[in-house]
Amino acid sequence: MKKYLALAVIALACSEKKVDKRDDCVPVERVTVSADCYKGTSGLLLTADSPSTIALDWVLAPLKDTSGAQTYTPVYMTTTSNQLIVPDSLVRKYPKIGIMFVGAYGCPSDMYFSFVRRPDGDSCARWYLQERFLKGD
C-alpha cells in the first residue's frame, strides 16, 4: 500500500507542474542501460531515447529488493543530455533502480522503467531492464 501511495504522490507532483506542453515535444519512451560489466567505480550509465540533447529531469526510485514492494526515497537529478550516470553510492546499495519520471521541460513522460542487477556467468554484475510500462496501466 505504501508503494502505491508513494507512486501516487510522485505522479501528482510531476503532473502538477504548470508548464505548457511544447509543440515539438517527443516524450521519452525508452531508457537503456549499459551492457558492460558493472565494476562499481564509474557509475551506471542510463540513456533515454530523447531525440535531442536537451536537459532531462529524472526521478529515480532506488529499491532495496527486486520485488519493488517497499517504500523508497526519490532521488531527483537533472542532466544536460539524454544520458545519466547513476552514482555508485546508489548503485552499490540497491539491487533495483526504478525510473519514476524522465522528461524534458514541458515534455513529460508517462513511462516507468526499472533495472535490476544480476550476476552473470563470467563473475560479472550486469544491469538489465526488468519493467517498462505506461503509468496508469
Side-chain angles (χ1 to χ4, degrees):
M1 184 66 179
K2 289 181 183 179
K3 175 185 173 186
Y4 295 112
L5 180 59
L7 289 173
V9 168
I10 288 176
L12 286 174
C14 292
S15 66
E16 293 277 330
K17 290 182 179 179
K18 304 296 181 202
V19 176
D20 291 332
K21 185 176 178 184
R22 297 188 338 238
D23 291 335
D24 62 345
C25 182
V26 177
V28 172
E29 292 191 16
R30 207 166 281 294
V31 173
T32 57
V33 66
S34 173
D36 295 338
C37 179
Y38 175 70
K39 298 185 186 328
T41 56
S42 56
L44 180 66
L45 178 65
L46 299 175
T47 303
D49 70 347
S50 177
S52 66
T53 57
I54 57 176
L56 291 177
D57 295 321
W58 301 72
V59 180
L60 304 180
L63 301 166
K64 292 181 182 177
D65 65 50
T66 57
S67 72
Q70 71 273 338
T71 60
Y72 60 89
T73 301
V75 176
Y76 301 91
M77 302 179 93
T78 299
T79 59
T80 57
S81 72
N82 66 331
Q83 294 187 318
L84 171 71
I85 296 179
V86 182
D88 291 316
S89 58
L90 280 176
V91 179
R92 275 190 239 119
K93 222 164 128 177
Y94 298 98
K96 181 175 180 177
I97 304 289
I99 301 173
M100 301 302 303
F101 174 85
V102 58
Y105 184 79
C107 187
S109 172
D110 291 327
M111 297 300 295
Y112 170 84
F113 308 91
S114 68
F115 296 90
V116 294
R117 179 179 57 221
R118 294 197 179 116
D120 270 350
D122 58 359
S123 300
C124 177
R126 285 190 170 79
W127 286 80
Y128 296 94
L129 178 67
Q130 183 185 41
E131 298 169 299
R132 176 186 173 271
F133 59 85
L134 187 62
K135 289 184 261 183
D137 282 355

